[in-house]
Amino acid sequence: MLKSNRFKRVSTGGRSLTVQKNALESNEINAKKNKAVFGKAFVMNILSSPGSGKTSLLESIVPALKLEGFNAAVIEGDVETDLDKKRIDNLGVPAYQIITNGTCHLDAKMVNVSLNSLDIKNADVIFIENVGNLVCPTSFNLGEDMKVVVLSVTEGDDKPLKYPAAFYKSKVMIINKTDLLPALDSDIAKIKENALSINKELIIFETSCRKKTTENIYNKGIADFVSFVKEKIRIKAAEFQKQNI
Amino acid sequence: MHEFSIALEILDTLEENGYLDGVKKVNSVKLAIGKYSGIDKNYLEFAFQNLSDERFKNVFTEFVPNDSDEIKIIEITVD
């Protein structure tokens, strides 16, 4: 285990320069550029560990928004493949795949490049599916309006305590795969309690993306989240219009 | 292991703001690291020392913890 206490050494001297700057200043500059390009579209940066169901969630949400006349676009982040983009392509919305070639997160510059190719002129909402990782993506602002953390019930109720940054920085937590609860000892109340202990303002949705579920209760969370997204789209569009009059 | 990316971002920020102009060696970097920043301090020092920029090869890192999510460069010492 790499856990030495090596940080109490005194420096070897030299000229001291006071800096007092955000260490991620250059990423912030690109994030601001992205925000300007996003325009009226409401942008969600979706974080989670691998396999929590981010793409399945988009497969549930995007058609529901489309049915009600809202246009979505999707930026997919993946270490190695374009498998997720192919799934999004089936939904008939503009999508762009960023393959990071081993990098464990998306940064603002990668998104900046993707915006040269992705058609977002009609988009009301843009979903950025980050690389599956609950640590690294939390450090990088992509110019989004909101981070959303997805946690599946199979991951255990202690996840928010073990990976606090993702829950601290997100405005929404989606507890996914709730259809599996009867087969698990996972305690949904405990998941919420732990997440709210990190960020008491988290807005929480419980979802299932199973396509063949017979019980409507599993899909209520999807409907609630779609309503939430629609409201955010309207607010962002109104603010954008106000600023550009 | 995004600490390499963070180290590169810090290098960019220092370079773009002129702090490394004429600098032959960076002796230390003092950072404020929030507890929600998602940074592993050991890996960040390792990342600095393995940047392609040789001026950071023997850099010492000093971290000032706080309760935020920030990553801020407080001070550097250079030759």
Side-chain angles (χ1 to χ4, degrees):
Chain A
M1 190 168 75
L2 182 63
K3 280 290 168 199
S4 62
N5 187 8
R6 298 182 292 161
F7 303 109
K8 289 186 178 163
R9 293 169 306 189
V10 177
S11 81
T12 54
R15 274 187 301 141
S16 173
L17 304 173
T18 302
V19 180
Q20 296 290 355
K21 282 200 169 290
N22 179 353
L24 300 177
E25 188 182 85
S26 64
N27 186 73
E28 286 300 317
I29 290 166
N30 280 311
K32 272 186 193 160
K33 285 182 196 167
N34 292 346
K35 210 171 186 54
V37 177
F38 290 145
K40 71 172 176 62
F42 185 73
V43 183
M44 291 181 145
N45 178 4
I46 305 175
L47 316 173
S48 84
S49 41
S52 66
K54 294 185 293 300
T55 314
S56 299
L57 205 59
L58 291 177
E59 286 175 321
S60 298
I61 296 161
V62 169
L65 286 167
K66 213 172 164 184
L67 266 177
E68 297 195 45
F70 293 94
N71 297 315
V74 178
I75 297 171
E76 283 287 344
D78 195 282
V79 170
E80 197 64 40
T81 74
D82 64 352
L83 294 172
D84 291 345
K85 179 190 176 284
K86 284 176 180 162
R87 286 169 63 183
I88 300 299
D89 282 343
N90 292 332
L91 306 177
V93 298
Y96 184 90
Q97 181 73 56
I98 300 172
I99 296 177
T100 65
N101 293 310
T103 301
C104 50
H105 59 273
L106 298 180
D107 65 26
K109 201 171 184 177
M110 295 177 197
V111 172
N112 202 256
V113 171
S114 78
L115 293 173
N116 293 327
S117 306
L118 182 69
D119 179 8
I120 59 164
K121 63 179 182 297
N122 294 320
D124 300 303
V125 59
I126 300 169
F127 297 104
I128 305 174
E129 182 181 336
N130 218 308
V131 175
N133 182 324
L134 268 183
V135 182
C136 310
T138 64
S139 295
F140 295 87
N141 177 10
L142 307 179
E144 72 270 9
D145 293 296
M146 179 183 285
K147 285 183 174 65
V148 174
V149 62
V150 183
L151 175 72
S152 72
V153 292
T154 56
E155 294 175 60
D157 41 47
D158 55 0
K159 219 39 173 298
L161 302 178
K162 292 166 95 173
Y163 299 90
F167 297 85
Y168 180 79
K169 293 186 179 184
S170 295
K171 287 209 166 75
V172 167
M173 173 172 74
I174 294 178
I175 304 173
N176 198 23
K177 305 190 185 181
T178 53
D179 51 296
L180 295 176
L181 276 170
L184 300 167
D185 291 329
S186 203
D187 182 348
I188 211 159
K190 195 73 187 164
I191 294 175
K192 289 181 186 175
E193 185 189 321
N194 287 339
L196 291 169
S197 76
I198 303 294
N199 178 357
K200 63 180 186 335
E201 289 172 1
L202 264 178
I203 300 162
I204 301 173
F205 297 91
E206 298 172 28
T207 59
S208 164
C209 302
R210 282 288 301 274
K211 291 174 183 71
K212 290 180 181 169
T213 182
T214 51
E215 294 186 49
N216 286 336
I217 191 168
Y218 294 140
N219 291 319
K220 184 184 177 299
I222 296 287
D224 290 346
F225 184 60
V226 167
S227 297
F228 175 81
V229 174
K230 278 164 34 188
E231 186 58 17
K232 290 295 172 191
I233 290 170
R234 286 192 193 101
I235 292 169
K236 175 82 186 276
E239 281 170 1
F240 183 79
Q241 198 177 17
K242 212 167 155 186
Q243 283 165 7
N244 288 279
I245 287 174
Chain B
M1 190 62 180
H2 67 309
E3 283 77 8
F4 270 103
S5 301
I6 301 283
L8 285 168
E9 285 281 337
I10 290 169
L11 175 61
D12 283 350
T13 299
L14 291 173
E15 270 188 334
E16 282 163 18
N17 289 284
Y19 289 100
L20 299 180
D21 292 352
V23 166
K24 290 181 186 142
K25 188 180 166 217
V26 179
N27 298 318
S28 70
V29 177
K30 186 176 181 182
L31 300 163
I33 300 277
K35 75 173 181 181
Y36 296 115
S37 65
I39 298 293
D40 183 308
K41 295 165 190 168
N42 289 285
Y43 284 129
L44 186 55
E45 183 174 74
F46 177 77
F48 270 124
Q49 291 171 348
N50 287 279
L51 288 174
S52 58
D53 189 322
E54 289 288 314
R55 292 176 295 182
F56 284 83
K57 198 172 179 183
N58 295 304
V59 72
F60 292 154
T61 47
E62 189 181 343
F63 299 103
V64 180
N66 63 42
D67 283 341
S68 76
D69 60 351
E70 73 173 358
I71 309 167
K72 187 174 174 185
I73 313 164
I74 299 173
E75 183 187 82
I76 58 173
T77 57
V78 299
D79 285 338

